[in-house]
Amino acid sequence: MTMPGTLPGWMLKRMGWDVTVEPYQGAGPYGPTYGAPVTVRALMDAKRRLVRDAQGAETISETTLRVRLDHVDDFPPGSRVTLPDSTQPTVITTSRHDGRSLPTPSHLEVALT
């Protein structure tokens, strides 16, 4: 079921890509640890842009994903995402765009390395 005001299912079906995200859980003794992989349908924009990470440092994002708001907990900063071309960037930051009752699609914008 589609949440009111969210990215339309027809748009995700026609223009979206399946990506796999492994939510970042923290630092372990041998490096980062991740949760179970989740497949998410996303709109993908492979365009380089300048973003700020969680600490406020400027960094370059190579890809931006737009997903439904019901996946907001799947993309904490540091999460590993597998794209359709098998590359594995990490989540730099996310931005929640909630149109509420406005006729704009609510979504989560995910900036990837």
Side-chain angles (χ1 to χ4, degrees):
M1 170 165 241
T2 302
M3 294 171 45
T6 192
L7 292 172
W10 65 266
M11 182 183 287
L12 287 170
K13 185 176 180 180
R14 288 186 179 167
M15 300 167 43
W17 297 88
D18 286 332
V19 299
T20 302
V21 59
E22 297 169 85
Y24 179 73
Q25 293 185 325
Y30 303 105
T33 60
Y34 302 98
V38 178
T39 300
V40 176
R41 191 78 174 172
L43 298 177
M44 186 168 48
D45 184 10
K47 178 179 169 184
R48 183 178 286 180
R49 66 188 180 111
L50 187 65
V51 297
R52 293 191 184 269
D53 65 15
Q55 290 76 34
E58 290 183 341
T59 188
I60 301 295
S61 171
E62 298 288 341
T63 305
T64 302
L65 301 177
R66 287 173 182 80
V67 300
R68 289 187 170 168
L69 285 179
D70 49 352
H71 293 291
V72 71
D73 294 332
D74 295 330
F75 290 92
S79 297
R80 181 170 50 199
V81 178
T82 303
L83 299 177
D85 65 0
S86 298
T87 59
Q88 290 189 312
T90 57
V91 174
I92 300 168
T93 189
T94 60
S95 300
R96 183 185 175 106
H97 298 276
D98 193 344
R100 299 182 58 136
S101 62
L102 296 174
T104 58
S106 298
H107 64 280
L108 181 69
E109 184 176 287
V110 183
L112 303 174
T113 57

